[in-house]
């Protein structure tokens, strides 16, 4: 597999300290760690939402720290998708329009609104929410809304999907449903970097990076590990050994 995301000696405001790691194309990688360890800060740096003090971040062969703010914004729109704990949907738009918004903003696309709507419809069917297209965001459940956020994140066919505690505001059942969708996307080839405090979420990933005080203190590969209970037990034992 080729390296899609490469991070070299990344530092930020004494929060991140010489962070280095790679994410290969097609991988799903989790970042775990105690509160205040720098997990979300790391995600903001490697996605270009913020700029580190030093170090390098390469995405698909481009060093994003060297880009202007406008160029980084365009790169995020074209090649990255985002799913957050706070779902950031616009209240004055229905689910379909929220999902379509990033594609409508991408000026270089020649697609008509009808084409974009068709693409959004395909994504909504895949996520099982096609019947909710005209609903307001206040008229659906948390799990349904987060699945709509996943649709929105995928509308421009990004090369990498960043997720920051995407199940943190959901009950156990909805969280499991949302992770099923992430797993399906990953099996279809989407590269995913996911920040989480939930060991069950992390157990679905190929690798886990463990962050403490701004530094990576451990890494666990789950490639080839037993499914479900076996993977979760392996993660639990590993975290116990790290003093989680």
């Amino acid at each position: 597999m080729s390296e899609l995301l490469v991070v070299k000696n990344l530092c930020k405001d004494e929060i991140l300290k010489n962070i280095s790691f790679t994410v290969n194309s097609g991988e799903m990688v989790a970042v775990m760690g105690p509160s205040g360890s720098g997990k979300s800060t790391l995600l903001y740096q490697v996605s270009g939402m913020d700029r580190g003090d030093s170090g390098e971040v390469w995405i698909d062969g481009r060093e994003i720290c060297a880009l202007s703010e406008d160029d980084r914004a365009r790169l995020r729109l074209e090649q990255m998708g985002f799913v957050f704990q706070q779902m950031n949907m616009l209240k004055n738009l229905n689910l379909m329009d929220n999902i379509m918004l990033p594609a409508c903003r991408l000026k270089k696309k020649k697609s008509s609104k009808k084409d974009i709507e068709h693409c959004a419809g395909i994504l909504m069917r895949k996520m099982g929410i096609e019947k909710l297209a005209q609903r307001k965001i206040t008229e659906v459940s948390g799990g349904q809304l987060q699945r709509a956020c996943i649709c929105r994140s995928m509308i421009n066919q990004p090369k990498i999907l960043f997720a920051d505690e995407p199940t943190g505001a959901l009950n156990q059942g909805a969280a499991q449903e949302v992770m099923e969708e992430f797993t399906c996307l990953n099996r279809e080839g989407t590269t995913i970097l996911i920040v989480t405090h939930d060991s069950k979420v992390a157990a679905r990933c190929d690798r886990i990076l463990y962050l403490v005080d701004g530094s990576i203190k451990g890494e666990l590969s789950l490639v080839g590990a037993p499914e479900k209970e076996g993977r979760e037990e392996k993660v639990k034992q590993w975290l116990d050994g790290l003093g989680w």
Side-chain angles (χ1 to χ4, degrees), residues 8-18 41 45 50-57 65:
K8 298 180 180 180
N9 301 316
L10 183 64
C11 298
K12 177 66 177 179
D13 294 338
E14 297 298 317
I15 301 173
L16 301 178
K17 304 167 186 175
N18 292 310
T41 300
Q45 307 306 305
D50 195 6
R51 196 192 299 267
D53 297 328
S54 60
E56 301 175 6
V57 178
C65 297

Side-chain angles (χ1 to χ4, degrees), residues 32 41 52 54 150 173 200 240:
M32 300 190 75
T41 300
S54 60
I150 296 173
K200 291 184 178 180
D240 286 344

Side-chain angles (χ1 to χ4, degrees), residues 76 79-83 152-154 158-163:
R76 288 195 299 273
Q79 298 193 19
M80 306 178 199
F82 297 90
V83 181
R152 180 183 60 183
S153 74
M154 295 299 296
K159 293 193 173 180
I160 186 167
L161 179 61
F162 295 100

Side-chain angles (χ1 to χ4, degrees), residues 43 81-84 161-166 182 192-196:
L43 187 144
F82 297 90
V83 181
F84 300 99
L161 179 61
F162 295 100
D164 190 3
E165 300 284 8
F182 276 113
I192 301 174
L193 181 65
I194 181 169
V195 167
T196 182

Side-chain angles (χ1 to χ4, degrees), residues 102-116:
C104 293
R105 290 179 55 202
L106 195 52
K107 299 293 193 299
K108 80 169 191 178
K109 283 210 168 188
K110 304 297 184 182
S111 303
S112 66
K113 185 175 180 181
K114 186 176 180 180
D115 292 333
I116 295 171

